[in-house]
Amino acid sequence: VQLQASGGGLVQAGGSLRLSCAASRSIAGIAHMGWYRQTPGKQRDLVVTFTSSGSANYADSVQGRFTISRDNAKNTVYLQMNSLKPEDTGVYYCNAVLRTSVLGPWPTYWGQGTLVTVSS
């Protein structure tokens, strides 16, 4: 399975972007799927993720500004980012823990990353 992320770019503070993450093949089950952010010299931090129950866990810094959604038919997760701030700048990585067969293992997958730059 490959995770194809897209939608990053340059935006002014206060603006919006929408990221997409599409899995390259059909999926038998998803434990977690969401987004992480990394800035130079720092670890990759959770932004938001869907759990298997369907609930979304947001980082405190994005709560109320970012919204995760999904299209199960397209095996795609979206991240709507509003009221962007310069501190939201970073490379956003799509992450998923999923399996492609009903009785298969649950490996972790990462997308290639998409750069979001928010100018002040």
Side-chain angles (χ1 to χ4, degrees), residues 8-100:
L10 173 64
V11 64
Q12 288 187 333
S16 299
L17 285 173
R18 190 176 83 152
L19 306 183
S20 299
C21 174
S24 60
R25 55 174 291 183
S26 60
I27 297 167
I30 299 175
H32 301 274
M33 191 167 184
W35 297 91
Y36 284 70
R37 177 174 63 212
Q38 189 169 27
T39 54
K42 296 187 177 180
Q43 68 180 15
R44 201 170 291 185
D45 292 326
L46 174 71
V47 176
V48 60
T49 189
F50 269 126
T51 67
S52 58
S53 66
S55 63
N57 294 326
Y58 291 91
D60 290 342
S61 61
V62 306
Q63 184 78 41
R65 299 186 297 120
F66 290 11
T67 303
I68 191 171
S69 62
R70 62 187 177 186
D71 185 333
N72 292 332
K74 296 181 179 180
N75 296 320
T76 299
V77 168
Y78 303 96
L79 181 63
Q80 180 65 43
M81 305 186 294
N82 298 328
S83 302
L84 282 161
K85 303 176 181 180
E87 51 263 43
D88 295 319
T89 294
V91 178
Y92 284 69
Y93 291 92
C94 180
N95 165 269
V97 177
L98 56 85
R99 62 182 178 184
T100 56

